[in-house]
Amino acid sequence: MDVERSSLCNCVVNFLLEENYLLTAFELLHELLDDGRDAQAIRLKEFFADSSHFPADQISRYNSLRVVDPQSLLEEKEAIEEKLAVSDYELRLALEDIMKLKTELQRKADLPQDKLSESSASNSVNHAPGISRQKRDAPFSDLGPLKANERKDLNYAVKEYLLIAGYRLTAMTFYEEVTDQNLDIWENSPACVPDALRHYYYQYLSSTSEAAEEKISMIRENELLQKANESLNHKNECLTKNKNLAEGQMNALTKSLEAAQKDLKDKEKQIQDLKHAWEHQRKELNDCRAEITSLKMHIEGSRSVQISADTNVNPAHSGALESYEEEIKSLQMEIERLMSKRTNIPDLDDSSFAEKESIQTEEKVVEMDENKTLISPIEPAGDIDSNAQSLPVQTFDNNTHKPEENLQESVTNPLNNSDGFPDGGILSQQDEKTPPERNGFHLKSEILGNGPAPENMGLGTIQILADALPKIVPYVLINHREELLPLIMCAIERHPDNATRDSLTHTLFNLIKRPDEQQRRIIMDACVSLAKNVGEMRTETELLPQCWEQINHMYEERRLLVAQSCGELAEFVRPEIRDSLILSIVQQLIEDPATVVREAAAHNLALLLPLFPLMDKYFKVEELMFQLACDPSGVVVETTIKELLPAVINWGNKLDHILRVLLSHILGCAQRCPPLSGVEGSVESHLRVLGERERWNLDVLLRMLAELLPYVHQKAIETCPFSSVSEPNGTIFSSSLLELYAGGHVEWPAFEWMHVDCFSGLIQLACLLPQKEDNLRNRTTKFLLAVSEHFGDAYLTHIILPVFLVAVGDDADLTFFPPNIHLRIKGLRPRTAVAERLATLCILPLLLAGVLGGPGKREQLADYLRKLLVEGAMKENQSTSHNIDVVNAVRFLCTFEEHHGMIFNILWEMVVSSNIEMKIGAANILKVIVPYIDAKVASTHVLPALITLGSDQNLNVKYASIDAFGAVAQHFKNDMIVDKIRVQMDAFLEDGSHEATIAVVHSLVIAVPHTTERLRDYLLSKIFQLTSMPVSATDVMRRRQRANAFCEAIRAVDATDVSANSIRDFLLPTLQNLLKDPDALDPAHKEALEIILKERSGGTFEALSKVMGAHLGIASSVTSFFGEGGLLGKKESTEPPTEAVESPKAVVAPAPAEDTRFMRIMRVTDMLRGKAKNQEETHQSQ
């Protein structure tokens, strides 16, 4: 589909360039670039960038041309048409001569072609694909010049493609360029088909031999598919029958399953009871085993006594041995008693059988130890350990309940009791012997005798374990595989073969395919424990390679495991490995596409930094930190700011460098964006258009700056060159300290960075941000407020406030600044008119909200605002743009709710003032602050002030208040507020002045899409009343202004849901009244009203908002037609009419939906053109 779309687009581009439709091609270039289709726009960009087509001197000459009057243009047009007619005649004669010459040349060329036909026959077979491809790639000009009917068909096809593809601005430009053809009407011809350009494209492709063969194969395939469909239908019927039978069987099985589940629950309950009893008996048995162990220790003590004694046994010692024998016998009797109790428990579980085996084995062990103590010679202590290691007794027997537990008890614990593995409480299993008939191994009698155990039995056990684990792991449930970790770790730690250890380490990392957070924690704890035991070299050579292998794994959970290992295993490798191999792994994880992996990489890099031995990797780490800070994911940014940023500062101790780089990133991010306007010397040329990514990066970097503020504050305190002169309230940066600093006798760079570098950078950034970037301006304001909170009120008064006062062009006291930085502070003052406008537009909001908006500066803020608004309004030479910028600064201040009360107090002073400009300024401020207040404030403060202004005798004040009333109506749907607005609008209309009527209609039109139905009906009723009243026939201009305002209101209301009563009582009569005065109507408005009248009174009754466009503040605005709520931004409605249609005669004939919509679009376009033309004529006549 993309290939087809690209091919069609390339065809259209070629056609426009060959037919010299340059305006359409230029508009298509911009729309392709807006859609991100740079590949299709390459040829257009090269064409328009070619200096041979568009010389630079010619373009500059065109820009300098004066506007020619219509009369001279008409004369030039007539002269050119005469020349064109002569050229056409000469061209026809030349074409006839060319055709004659071609015919004669063809006749002469036929003879040599016949001679060459035999020799080219063989080559045609081999080169057939190339020839067909050359035919298909033949340029458009090979077919000769376009005929008139061909050009018309292609023009309509291109127009239709542009509309379908969504390039509506290009389509409108194409309409303007094609002047010799009505593109709305396509004459009936074989080329007249829907979606014509695609049909031409398909027909062109089907003209090749390959397409014909493909078509035949598709027909055959279609026949096969039909047969297969019939067989599938037959199978479907059979399956339906089988399904019914299976459902009956399923119901029966469901009932039996429920009964089985009930029995199973009863069995499980019985098993639980038996398990509780078994646990109790097992606890008693463990107590007995502990006593046996203590007896063994006594026996070993007696053996040591035997070694030191003579060969003759002392009678006292013999008596002690006899007492030991009696104790052992009593313990055996106790074991037998416990055995008799256990035999009373029903043997329903496999675990009870295994426990009986262990008890019998324990008895045999006790007897053997007793016999060896009494009659055998003393053995070295190492033999006991070797015996313990040589008995892999409790192996994977089918009768055991838990193979993992028994294997841990019999293998891992005898090997190393200090390895940190679980289940180390049963000490007596070092000497357990299981009868041969219940073991998988045949134990020789020499092992039970007095001879030493073979040393390779422990190694054999590890080898058996290493061989068995890879076979066991796949068959263990995923949720229970962590129980195998002690065995895997034991085998990895003690196996002598490198390859086997690597295989087991791989099994450890891949124990679970996609481990969750808890499972990763368990695996990571096992790796850390293993690293502690095996040492640095084996951790580097065995564990870290496994990390590197998993770094590109397809599952992000495994890559998360790699990230965790980088932070937690770094402690157990050599220092030089940490900042080389492990840092390179983290660096690659930072580029990972998964958000969670990048977040884990940031977290573990913060853990890794304190372990770096040297600082030579600092700048690399700092670069990685800024890369993570500008990540598009919020969680990665949060981790970077909260964890990695403090870690980098604490590790590197280079706060100055981080601050310098951060400010550079902030300014560079904004400066790289394109300017708002290309007109040099204008205010807009200094402002930047921020993309979504740049806006996100700036917000994150400003957050980083706020996070660094405590470090800056602390470093300024630590590097203070003066003795402590803090004030009684605990403020460190007191006025006395600032006076010492102002002396300039010592340097204090950590303190100066804030007001010399940081504030100037923020001021420079603010002068790059357009008015709509309130979020970034808000972030900067919060940073300034935080600076005031950290550094104190004295710093705010004597340092911050003077800097920003100078930046907005006001006078400030620089007494508390050292002389050497006075020039830098004064350099912030605006020098040109554009700089002053930028200062008011961009820096004044920060001064009001971020500097004077602090808790201790409320009174000073009120005084400054009063000076700005009240005294500024009294200046006669104050420009309108300056007043607008001041109003915008006050609007931004209103985004902070704590300042509303103070602002309304000043506004009331302006409202009750006798100065006209002050009242108009109050109305403008009330209009812009409406979005930032609630309904209560609007009722208690805004509406009373507007009503007071609306009753003023000055018309300019009254009209300004009317616009503010419209803003209130646009944002609030409260019935009480709407009623007050209606009453006030009635008062304005009762005045009867033409200007008041127009202002009321315009203000309510803006609110129509957002307000309630009551206000829309009110507007309709008032327009109906006004159109029913007779107007003066002499003043044509006023009649036209009234008619235009009413038409815009009608079209805006028609774009909303209007009740049937309102349509019948107000809308249709108003339309009829307006159409009675055709001289006052703009042709575009007239046609639109006729369409609305037809739609609303005819059979479709479809809301015209789906066709004509939504809320139009200005009828000629192109954005209102192409925006989200406009004409081309809405889809065609397919909903049925909301009102019943009485007359079936009014139903229009069915037509394609796209064609109908296109016709309506074109009508609206013609209306726009006509209105613009009339406005130009009006201006010229004036």
Side-chain angles (χ1 to χ4, degrees), residues 512-779:
I512 299 172
K513 188 175 184 181
R514 304 185 69 169
D516 56 23
E517 184 176 358
Q518 183 179 1
Q519 292 166 339
R520 288 195 301 272
R521 182 71 267 157
I522 294 173
I523 295 175
M524 207 62 250
D525 289 342
C527 292
V528 170
S529 178
L530 185 61
K532 288 179 181 178
N533 294 333
V534 300
E536 293 181 351
M537 293 305 298
R538 284 186 58 183
T539 302
E540 295 170 8
T541 57
E542 297 178 13
L543 287 178
L544 287 185
Q546 296 297 329
C547 297
W548 190 260
E549 290 178 4
Q550 303 279 332
I551 196 170
N552 292 319
H553 200 278
M554 62 183 296
Y555 294 128
E556 62 184 34
E557 291 85 357
R558 304 288 283 280
R559 303 197 298 273
L560 270 174
L561 195 61
V562 176
Q564 286 182 257
S565 64
C566 290
E568 299 188 24
L569 293 182
E571 182 181 354
F572 307 103
V573 299
R574 288 176 298 167
E576 56 268 22
I577 298 295
R578 297 168 189 165
D579 56 2
S580 57
L581 175 62
I582 297 181
L583 182 60
S584 63
I585 297 175
V586 174
Q587 182 178 354
Q588 188 167 344
L589 291 172
I590 290 174
E591 307 288 343
D592 197 274
T595 300
V596 290
V597 177
R598 299 198 302 274
E599 179 190 5
H603 170 73
N604 285 276
L605 180 58
L607 299 179
L608 188 63
L609 291 181
L611 303 176
F612 282 0
L614 302 174
M615 297 293 297
D616 53 350
K617 299 288 184 178
Y618 172 78
F619 295 104
K620 183 64 178 177
V621 172
E622 186 182 272
E623 180 184 351
L624 294 177
M625 179 189 69
F626 280 104
Q627 179 181 347
L628 287 167
C630 295
D631 193 272
S633 172
V635 293
V636 178
V637 171
E638 191 70 21
T639 304
T640 303
I641 293 178
K642 297 298 182 183
E643 299 181 20
L644 182 57
L645 179 61
V648 172
I649 294 173
N650 295 330
W651 167 63
N653 196 21
K654 292 182 181 293
L655 181 61
D656 297 339
H657 187 267
I658 292 178
L659 293 172
R660 191 162 53 250
V661 174
L662 179 58
L663 279 180
S664 174
H665 278 297
I666 290 174
L667 294 176
C669 186
Q671 290 169 348
R672 284 191 295 269
C673 297
L676 195 62
S677 171
V679 180
E680 293 186 3
S682 63
V683 175
E684 289 76 13
S685 65
H686 292 81
L687 304 178
R688 295 293 188 265
V689 181
L690 301 183
E692 290 296 328
R693 186 62 185 272
E694 288 78 11
R695 186 177 294 109
W696 169 262
N697 289 346
L698 279 175
D699 185 76
V700 170
L701 293 174
L702 289 174
R703 285 179 57 194
M704 284 186 67
L705 186 61
E707 289 291 330
L708 290 174
L709 182 57
Y711 296 96
V712 177
H713 178 253
Q714 184 63 31
K715 187 169 184 180
I717 295 174
E718 293 174 354
T719 58
C720 178
F722 309 107
S723 59
S724 178
V725 286
S726 60
E727 294 181 352
N729 58 1
T731 303
I732 297 177
F733 299 99
S734 58
S735 300
S736 55
L737 179 65
L738 295 178
E739 290 176 356
L740 294 175
Y741 163 70
H745 302 295
V746 292
E747 294 184 356
W748 195 359
F751 178 68
E752 288 181 352
W753 175 87
M754 181 62 70
H755 49 270
V756 174
D757 296 325
C758 181
F759 289 164
S760 61
L762 292 178
I763 290 170
Q764 188 176 352
L765 172 66
C767 292
L768 298 174
L769 299 179
Q771 179 179 344
K772 68 176 184 177
E773 300 296 340
D774 279 348
N775 289 334
L776 294 177
R777 198 169 286 110
N778 195 292
R779 182 74 69 182

Side-chain angles (χ1 to χ4, degrees), residues 62 232 283 355 375 397 519 620 648 729 814 910 1182:
Y62 286 158
L232 288 175
K283 184 178 180 181
E355 192 64 30
I375 61 176
D397 192 73
Q519 292 166 339
K620 183 64 178 177
V648 172
N729 58 1
L814 302 182
M910 300 173 68
Q1182 292 175 353

Side-chain angles (χ1 to χ4, degrees), residues 114-135:
D114 294 339
K115 294 180 181 180
L116 294 174
S117 61
E118 295 180 359
S119 61
S120 63
S122 60
N123 295 332
S124 63
V125 176
N126 297 329
H127 300 285
I131 295 171
S132 63
R133 189 178 301 108
Q134 292 173 4
K135 290 180 180 178

Side-chain angles (χ1 to χ4, degrees), residues 349-355 357 395-402 406 437-438:
D349 198 0
D350 293 339
S351 61
S352 61
F353 180 76
E355 192 64 30
E357 285 187 339
T395 57
F396 309 100
D397 192 73
N398 292 331
N399 295 328
T400 58
H401 180 56
K402 282 189 177 181
N406 294 332
E437 63 270 17
R438 295 187 180 181

Side-chain angles (χ1 to χ4, degrees), residues 1072-1089:
Q1072 294 170 358
N1073 292 338
L1074 288 172
L1075 292 172
K1076 289 178 183 178
D1077 189 10
D1079 296 336
L1081 286 177
D1082 186 275
H1085 283 318
K1086 180 181 178 182
E1087 187 171 357
L1089 294 180

Side-chain angles (χ1 to χ4, degrees), residues 492-511:
I492 293 173
E493 182 180 348
R494 300 191 178 271
H495 202 284
D497 184 53
N498 290 334
T500 305
R501 290 201 304 270
D502 288 341
S503 176
L504 291 173
T505 309
H506 182 76
T507 303
L508 174 63
F509 270 89
N510 296 270
L511 190 65

